[in-house]
Amino acid sequence: MLSELFDTHCHLNLVENFADPEPFFANAYAAGVNRMALVSLDVVSSRRAIELAETHDGVYAVIGRHPSYSAEYDPAELAVFREMFEHPKVVAMGEIGLDFHGDYATREQQERCLFHQLDLAAELQVPIVFHCRDAYPELLGILEARPRLSYDFHCFSGNAEHARQATALDSYFGFDGPLTFKKSVELRELLKTLPRDRVLLETDSPYLSPEPFRGKPNEPANLPYINRALAETWEVTWEESAHQTTANAIRFFRI
């Protein structure tokens, strides 16, 4: 059994999806997923991530406000997030970014929320986990004009040019369920072009379930299926891809 998989992006801290997360932690550990980063959407889920990280080995909190929730953003939250970063198990800011696919918040609202959080991350020199959907040119342009930090593009879905720009920023790339889909040929081909020391595994639970669980809620215990797809793409053993991506995650989160 694999014993070194790291789910770098899951949402066991969302009460509406995981009212009792304990069985899911147990399932993850049994599947060899012994490290998890609980990624937040707002202040409430950030607090929940910290609470769970405090009581579970190998579990860490990523705090911040998601762009789709930026219409409710209050700058007073920055003081709350700054205090949260004093906790030893808070390892990154996220997921923050831009999402032009939906209409939950205007571009102005999203950019205001993003810029404030980028400034805080720069002040504290912490890694950032990005959510980016239909907004790669805009987000990459913003980052290219700012002092460089450590970035992870969660659920990377950009094209070859976006990957080139992100690689030039020394970014990391998160891959999840879509890597296992039969139709994701272009995604797997793009993955082959990325530096292997910048690739991360994630589930995005409860979303983006891998084959053969599509259509069902996702959980961290499904990460081995994504690791298998990665290993096949890289043409290495499952153990080699697990070891490489876990080492990458430990480096990114500075654990």
Side-chain angles (χ1 to χ4, degrees), residues 6-9 128-130 136 151-158 166 171-179 187 190-191 194-195 198-204 208 223 226 230 245 248 252-253:
F6 196 140
D7 186 349
T8 61
H9 196 114
I128 301 173
V129 175
F130 282 116
Y136 280 98
Y151 307 132
D152 163 31
F153 285 89
H154 140 69
C155 189
F156 185 72
S157 59
S171 302
Y172 291 73
F173 301 84
F175 290 90
D176 38 28
L179 191 65
L187 180 64
L190 179 60
L191 169 59
L194 300 177
R198 289 295 184 271
V199 173
L200 303 174
L201 290 178
E202 58 174 71
T203 61
D204 198 23
L208 297 177
L223 193 65
I226 302 164
L230 175 63
T245 54
N248 296 347
F252 172 72
F253 288 124

Side-chain angles (χ1 to χ4, degrees), residues 11-205:
H11 297 289
L12 296 186
N13 51 322
L14 300 186
V15 176
E16 58 268 34
N17 298 105
F18 300 100
D20 178 9
E22 296 309 317
F24 299 97
F25 282 118
N27 291 346
Y29 294 140
V33 183
N34 59 353
R35 294 185 179 93
M36 289 162 267
L38 309 186
V39 181
S40 306
L41 307 180
D42 53 19
V43 171
V44 172
S45 55
S46 294
R47 289 196 176 105
R48 178 64 170 162
I50 294 173
E51 291 172 359
L52 293 171
E54 287 178 334
T55 55
H56 293 82
D57 292 337
V59 175
Y60 304 90
V62 177
I63 64 169
R65 180 170 283 275
H66 190 289
S68 295
Y69 295 77
S70 56
E72 297 80 34
Y73 167 66
D74 181 346
E77 294 173 8
L78 294 177
V80 178
F81 290 138
R82 183 182 286 107
E83 183 177 356
M84 288 180 178
F85 272 109
E86 296 177 6
H87 195 287
K89 297 198 83 176
V90 175
V91 294
M93 171 158 278
E95 58 188 287
I96 70 173
L98 296 173
D99 189 325
F100 296 159
H101 180 79
D103 57 358
Y104 299 103
T106 66
R107 177 168 178 168
E108 180 181 21
Q109 289 170 327
Q110 292 188 47
E111 290 184 344
R112 177 171 177 258
C113 183
L114 171 63
F115 292 153
H116 285 185
Q117 292 182 98
L118 287 176
D119 289 344
L120 179 60
E123 173 191 334
L124 301 178
Q125 289 293 294
V126 296
I128 301 173
V129 175
F130 282 116
H131 171 100
C132 186
R133 192 171 185 189
D134 294 347
Y136 280 98
E138 293 82 1
L139 180 56
L140 287 164
I142 289 168
L143 299 179
E144 288 171 342
R146 297 178 62 93
R148 188 173 302 177
L149 296 172
S150 187
Y151 307 132
D152 163 31
F153 285 89
H154 140 69
C155 189
F156 185 72
S157 59
N159 61 29
E161 174 59 20
H162 302 148
R164 184 198 65 77
Q165 289 178 269
T167 299
L169 294 170
D170 294 327
S171 302
Y172 291 73
F173 301 84
F175 290 90
D176 38 28
L179 191 65
T180 70
F181 300 168
K182 292 181 180 179
K183 68 178 182 180
S184 297
V185 177
E186 290 185 7
L187 180 64
R188 288 187 287 272
E189 289 301 310
L190 179 60
L191 169 59
K192 293 178 183 179
T193 71
L194 300 177
R196 293 191 179 185
D197 65 350
R198 289 295 184 271
V199 173
L200 303 174
L201 290 178
E202 58 174 71
T203 61
D204 198 23
S205 304

